Amino acid sequence: MTNPEIAVLMLAIFVLSILLGFPIWITLMAMGVFFGYYAYYDAERMQTVFDNQIFDLLVNQTYSVMANDVLVAVPLFLFMGYVVERANLVDRLFVTLQIAARRIPGSMAVAALATCALFATATGIIGAVVTLMGMMAFPAMLKAKYDTSFSAGVICAGGCLGILIPPSIMLIVYAAASNVSVVRLYAGAILPGFMLAGLYMVYVIIRAMINPKIAPKVNEEEVAHITTWEITKMMITSFFPLAFLILSVLGAILFGLATPSEAASMGAIGGLVLATVYRIGNVFAGRTVVDWSTRQIGDRMSLIGCLGWGALMTILGYFIFLVGRAILFGIIGGGESVDPNLPVGPGLSIVIALVLAAAYHVTGGNLPLPKQLMPTRAAGVSMVEFAGAGAIGGIIIGTVMQIYIYIGLQVGFVDSYLTESNLWAMEIGYFVGAGAWLGFKVTDWDRLKESVYLSVRTSAMVCWLFVGSWTFSSVFSYLGGHDLIQEWVLGANLTPITFLLLAQFIIFLLGWPLEWSEIIIIFIPIFLPMLAYFGVDPLFFGILVALNLQTSFLTPPMAMAAYYLKGVAPPHVQLIEIFKGVMPFLMIVFLAMFILYQFPGIAMWLPDKVYGN
């Protein structure tokens, strides 16, 4: 057999192995090493069995994946998504959007699609979104007498939007495989992503207007007591924080303020802060019970708790000062910059907090202003005591640092430039210690551990897929497989539209047995070298692929989104009903692909406008 025939055999065995259920990343590495050993076999040069170049190739590919800066954003975005998911933010978001859209036909379905779009954007994990929405929104829709197939289609289609709408993990993987800028890909995917979500919503509304039985209107008596102010308050506490987090991360990337990895790290921190704030709110509202929220409150708060109150009040005053000064300079103008430091000497804020805390403690809490600001619930008391303990620890650490620097200056093993920062050591330790220990005590560590574990597991899967696929692709290309396919495609004298149709049809078929990660990492590199010949922009091709991959989760009989939903749906919901419900949305995906091809500017206008051709 010739080498190209060996390459075709290699590809055929790989597809057969996947259909038989073998793990994909192990199969890729095993096939790459096995056929690579044959491809690089040199009896004259090899002294031992392990002298074959395939082992060097495997090590080099592993190092390349580890050193790839683009892939650093993957675990960070995954962690942000899992933290948001485990914090149970979606249930409040769905209820809020449902009430806000109550006068729209099919309001619950529209709210489910909007929730899916926002949550899928935050996570990018299709299985997680469909499963969570299947447990939360799907039963609510069935209880409201929505048609089963219609409801199932909404959940499955909405849950897949995370593949396309930035910040998408799939686009990061495509960027790593194609060397296209992640920033340009994100800019190109924004309008097509919202176009697809908008088409879904238009279909839902029109379908509900034509046949109200499949999506009954909300009972006005149930929501009549909800005022506009209450809806606004619900939007402020549920929709806007998550939307602000996502838009901040995406905006930092698109406007060049941060690289995708840097923005993802800030998004991960923002997700932690958001989850912690929501948990504190749930504790105060009584929806979550923890040990520190139910303990007995004494007649007087301890001095340590008062110190924590002083720390929190000083921090609040510090930020009010900075914001007020910035606004003042913005109004009156002038070239003077805003000083980021406190308008007092180092350590004075600690003295103020200590004096206030001691006075409050000595007077038994009868000081008017502190008495009004002091928390009265057990949870609030515990939180200021946590902050106080952290503040004391921070002061001790700052004092030790000051002593160390002072001795170092005398002896000569510390540079003199540290003297200025030394003055603020206690002050910094005071604030950082208060915030750090408070955050440590109120964080839900069980859910945080779950988020870390899931992020590491998914990231490891993606990285090992890259190692296996690049090894597989290198051997496949060395054997002549890529050249064989390219010669066959180019020899067919295809037009650019025919090439695109053929490529998208193959990707559509591959979506049945494979997930998007395998398609992007293994098969997309086969098409990439041919794009220049047919004059297809890799960015435009990537957006088309992202749209097409929606179908890999929606096309029976291997529609994974349907199986995710079936796993959490009530027992009476049949798989055939779910398949029936996703078919209209599958047609909408094809419509979106047709519109995108007819009007490429939907994907290309924003990247060209912002970043140039």
Side-chain angles (χ1 to χ4, degrees):
M1 300 176 72
T2 62
N3 283 343
E5 291 172 333
I6 296 293
V8 173
L9 176 63
M10 177 183 180
L11 185 61
I13 294 177
F14 167 72
V15 175
L16 178 62
S17 301
I18 297 304
L19 293 176
L20 292 176
F22 285 91
I24 295 177
W25 68 274
I26 296 179
T27 304
L28 282 169
M29 293 181 66
M31 300 286 292
V33 171
F34 179 80
F35 282 91
Y37 197 92
Y38 163 80
Y40 295 108
Y41 183 79
D42 187 349
E44 296 180 0
R45 192 189 65 85
M46 291 177 58
Q47 300 297 322
T48 65
V49 175
F50 295 101
D51 283 341
N52 195 292
Q53 292 183 14
I54 185 60
F55 300 110
D56 295 333
L57 176 64
L58 182 62
V59 172
N60 290 333
Q61 297 293 11
T62 304
Y63 176 78
S64 298
V65 171
M66 295 172 61
N68 193 319
D69 294 335
V70 176
L71 295 179
V72 174
V74 172
L76 294 171
F77 276 130
L78 286 172
F79 180 70
M80 180 183 76
Y82 278 122
V83 165
V84 171
E85 176 201 351
R86 297 286 154 171
N88 295 329
L89 307 183
V90 186
D91 51 351
R92 295 178 61 179
L93 177 63
F94 174 66
V95 172
T96 299
L97 293 178
Q98 175 190 344
I99 295 174
R102 65 189 184 277
R103 304 195 185 281
I104 300 176
S107 59
M108 192 172 289
V110 173
L113 284 172
T115 305
C116 283
L118 189 61
F119 187 47
T121 302
T123 62
I125 310 159
I126 305 306
V129 178
V130 175
T131 300
L132 185 60
M133 293 299 293
M135 292 188 296
M136 181 188 65
F138 190 53
M141 296 171 74
L142 296 181
K143 185 178 179 180
K145 307 299 182 183
Y146 273 56
D147 180 76
T148 302
S149 295
F150 179 75
S151 304
V154 168
I155 300 299
C156 292
C160 297
L161 288 170
I163 297 178
L164 178 60
I165 302 179
S168 164
I169 303 297
M170 175 258 154
L171 293 178
I172 296 177
V173 176
Y174 178 83
S178 63
N179 292 322
V180 177
S181 167
V182 178
V183 178
R184 291 182 64 89
L185 274 171
Y186 277 2
I190 290 176
L191 294 181
F194 286 111
M195 176 187 72
L196 182 60
L199 289 174
Y200 284 163
M201 292 183 184
V202 169
Y203 164 75
V204 164
I205 294 173
I206 293 176
R207 183 90 185 273
M209 292 174 63
I210 295 175
N211 186 6
K213 292 182 180 180
I214 66 170
K217 292 184 178 180
V218 178
N219 190 344
E220 291 291 340
E221 297 179 359
E222 296 179 359
V223 295
H225 64 285
I226 301 178
T227 63
T228 304
W229 166 243
E230 290 176 334
I231 295 176
T232 303
K233 186 165 62 173
M234 293 171 67
M235 293 287 288
I236 292 174
T237 57
S238 60
F239 175 78
F240 289 111
L242 186 57
F244 178 77
L245 173 64
I246 296 169
L247 292 176
S248 299
V249 171
L250 189 58
I253 296 173
L254 296 180
F255 290 109
L257 302 177
T259 65
S261 299
E262 293 168 345
S265 63
M266 296 306 299
I269 295 174
L272 283 174
V273 172
L274 189 61
T276 302
V277 171
Y278 268 88
R279 185 169 191 254
I280 293 173
N282 289 333
V283 169
F284 274 90
R287 291 187 291 267
T288 301
V289 179
V290 292
D291 55 354
W292 50 267
S293 67
T294 57
R295 64 182 187 175
Q296 295 294 324
I297 305 176
D299 294 335
R300 296 180 179 181
M301 294 183 65
S302 65
L303 184 60
I304 188 174
C306 294
L307 183 61
W309 170 84
L312 296 177
M313 291 300 103
T314 310
I315 292 173
L316 179 62
Y318 170 59
F319 281 108
I320 290 176
F321 164 76
L322 286 183
V323 173
R325 185 168 181 176
I327 294 175
L328 180 62
F329 277 114
I331 294 175
I332 66 177
E336 186 178 352
S337 61
V338 179
D339 185 4
N341 295 321
L342 286 169
V344 296
L348 184 58
S349 58
I350 302 176
V351 175
I352 295 173
L354 283 170
V355 171
L356 286 175
Y360 184 86
H361 181 72
V362 170
T363 60
N366 290 322
L367 289 178
L369 180 60
K371 184 177 181 180
Q372 297 298 321
L373 297 175
M374 192 67 71
T376 56
R377 297 184 182 183
V381 173
S382 299
M383 288 176 59
V384 293
E385 289 187 2
F386 295 152
I392 291 177
I395 291 174
I396 294 173
I397 294 174
T399 303
V400 171
M401 180 178 175
Q402 284 184 317
I403 295 173
Y404 170 79
I405 295 177
Y406 176 78
I407 296 174
L409 288 171
Q410 302 302 317
V411 177
F413 62 82
V414 172
D415 293 332
S416 59
Y417 74 86
L418 288 174
T419 54
E420 183 176 353
S421 62
N422 173 46
L423 297 175
W424 291 94
M426 288 179 60
E427 188 94 6
I428 295 172
Y430 170 68
F431 290 125
V432 173
W437 190 247
L438 173 62
F440 176 82
K441 297 295 288 186
V442 302
T443 296
D444 189 340
W445 287 98
D446 290 335
R447 294 186 181 274
L448 181 59
K449 290 176 183 176
E450 292 176 3
S451 301
V452 172
Y453 167 73
L454 292 171
S455 301
V456 170
R457 186 183 69 176
T458 308
S459 301
M461 178 200 70
V462 172
C463 290
W464 281 115
L465 275 173
F466 262 102
V467 172
S469 66
W470 285 356
T471 304
F472 182 94
S473 298
S474 298
V475 174
F476 184 75
S477 179
Y478 184 79
L479 289 170
H482 281 160
D483 293 336
L484 182 66
I485 294 176
Q486 185 168 340
E487 289 175 4
W488 176 76
V489 173
L490 299 181
N493 295 322
L494 302 175
T495 63
I497 177 61
T498 310
F499 167 74
L500 277 178
L501 288 175
L502 176 63
Q504 298 302 324
F505 179 70
I506 293 174
I507 293 171
F508 171 73
L509 293 180
L510 290 172
W512 293 7
L514 302 177
E515 292 194 15
W516 66 263
S517 53
E518 292 87 14
I519 296 173
I520 294 295
I521 297 172
I522 302 168
F523 292 97
I524 290 300
I526 297 176
F527 296 106
L528 290 175
M530 293 181 272
L531 297 182
Y533 178 84
F534 289 101
V536 179
D537 192 299
L539 188 150
F540 179 72
F541 185 75
I543 304 302
L544 272 177
V545 170
L547 268 173
N548 195 352
L549 287 176
Q550 308 279 323
T551 65
S552 67
F553 287 90
L554 299 176
T555 307
M558 303 297 291
M560 291 306 299
Y563 290 104
Y564 291 141
L565 181 59
K566 174 58 180 174
V568 296
H572 69 273
V573 178
Q574 301 297 316
L575 190 60
I576 189 65
E577 292 181 289
I578 301 177
F579 285 158
K580 180 182 176 182
V582 301
M583 293 307 294
F585 294 93
L586 187 62
M587 297 300 107
I588 293 175
V589 174
F590 292 141
L591 174 62
M593 293 179 65
F594 175 76
I595 294 174
L596 182 61
Y597 181 79
Q598 292 296 322
F599 305 98
I602 298 175
M604 304 302 296
W605 175 79
L606 187 58
D608 291 343
K609 187 72 174 178
V610 177
Y611 308 109
N613 294 324

